[in-house]
Amino acid sequence: MDTLNQVQVVGRIRADLESMMGERMKLKANMGRSKVLEREGVLEQTHPSLFVLKIDEKRGRTARVSYSYVDILTGTVELTDCDTGECIFGWLN
């Protein structure tokens, strides 16, 4: 994939996420060394190079995590719809 195409794909990922602001989704993030974080949360903010999810933690606590759009492009982060279980960015595969 050439650089121009990558920039266009990242732009499409960002636009798709902006349209889903406030929606609930499942996060699966590869943290390295066989560590995988799986949580549910709400898309809270999008910024020029990253997005923020408000994650539900144990005992009613919440946390905020941020990832770059490139993390989705590289497969480090996967987002799925909580209701249907479908990958939000199925068009990437």
Side-chain angles (χ1 to χ4, degrees):
M1 186 181 297
D2 63 357
T3 306
L4 181 60
N5 192 19
Q6 288 176 350
V7 170
Q8 291 172 341
V9 170
V10 169
R12 182 173 172 192
I13 291 170
R14 180 176 180 212
D16 287 357
L17 282 177
E18 284 177 347
S19 70
M20 292 184 244
M21 193 74 66
E23 288 188 27
R24 229 175 146 63
M25 52 188 70
K26 288 183 184 178
L27 165 76
K28 183 177 180 181
N30 183 346
M31 305 298 283
R33 293 190 152 193
S34 301
K35 295 179 187 174
V36 177
L37 175 72
E38 292 188 39
R39 298 281 190 269
E40 285 189 19
V42 176
L43 181 61
E44 193 172 57
Q45 297 175 2
T46 58
H47 296 280
S49 59
L50 57 91
F51 61 97
V52 179
L53 287 170
K54 186 176 179 181
I55 302 293
D56 303 328
E57 293 288 327
K58 297 174 184 171
R59 300 185 201 112
R61 300 174 76 186
T62 59
R64 286 179 177 76
V65 293
S66 61
Y67 296 98
S68 70
Y69 303 112
V70 176
D71 290 334
I72 294 174
L73 178 64
T74 60
T76 305
V77 172
E78 295 176 24
L79 298 174
T80 56
D81 189 323
C82 283
D83 298 329
T84 64
E86 293 181 19
C87 181
I88 292 174
F89 299 102
W91 54 267
L92 272 174
N93 300 332

